[in-house]
Amino acid sequence: MAQVNSCLSCIFTIFNMVFAIIGGLIIVVALIFQVLTNDHVEQQLEGWTSGFLGLYVVGAITMVIAILGAYGAHRESKVSLIMVSSKTS
C-alpha cells in the first residue's frame, strides 16, 4: 500500500476522533434527557421512547464509524478504510 503523508493521516485521525466524541455526546445527551423526563413525566413517555432509541442508534453508529475511520487512518489499514468508505457512501 502506498504511504500517506503523516500530516494528512494525523488530520484524518483527529477529525474522526472529534466525530467519535460527538457521537458519545449524542448518547450522553439522550441518556440525560431520558433520566430527566422519567423523573417528571410518567404517563407521557409513550412517544418519546422511539426518539430516545433513535438518538442512541445515531450516536452509536456515529461512534463506530468514526472509531473505525480513526483506526484506519492511524494504522493505514486498508480493510477498515474500505469499511468506512462503504458505510459513508
Side-chain angles (χ1 to χ4, degrees), residues 18-54:
V18 167
F19 286 122
I21 291 169
I22 290 171
L25 287 175
I26 291 172
I27 293 172
V28 168
V29 166
L31 182 65
I32 289 171
F33 281 138
Q34 187 174 11
V35 168
L36 289 177
T37 56
N38 278 344
D39 288 343
H40 297 295
V41 182
E42 292 289 330
Q43 296 87 7
Q44 298 176 356
L45 282 180
E46 295 167 0
W48 289 52
T49 55
S50 62
F52 290 133
L53 182 62

Side-chain angles (χ1 to χ4, degrees), residues 6-18:
S6 63
C7 182
L8 191 61
S9 176
C10 183
I11 289 171
F12 286 150
T13 303
I14 290 170
F15 275 124
N16 278 309
M17 291 310 294
V18 167

Side-chain angles (χ1 to χ4, degrees), residues 59-80:
I61 289 173
T62 303
M63 280 187 68
V64 167
I65 291 174
I67 290 171
L68 192 61
Y71 173 78
H74 182 70
R75 295 285 182 182
E76 295 180 11
S77 172
K78 189 175 184 178
V79 174
S80 62

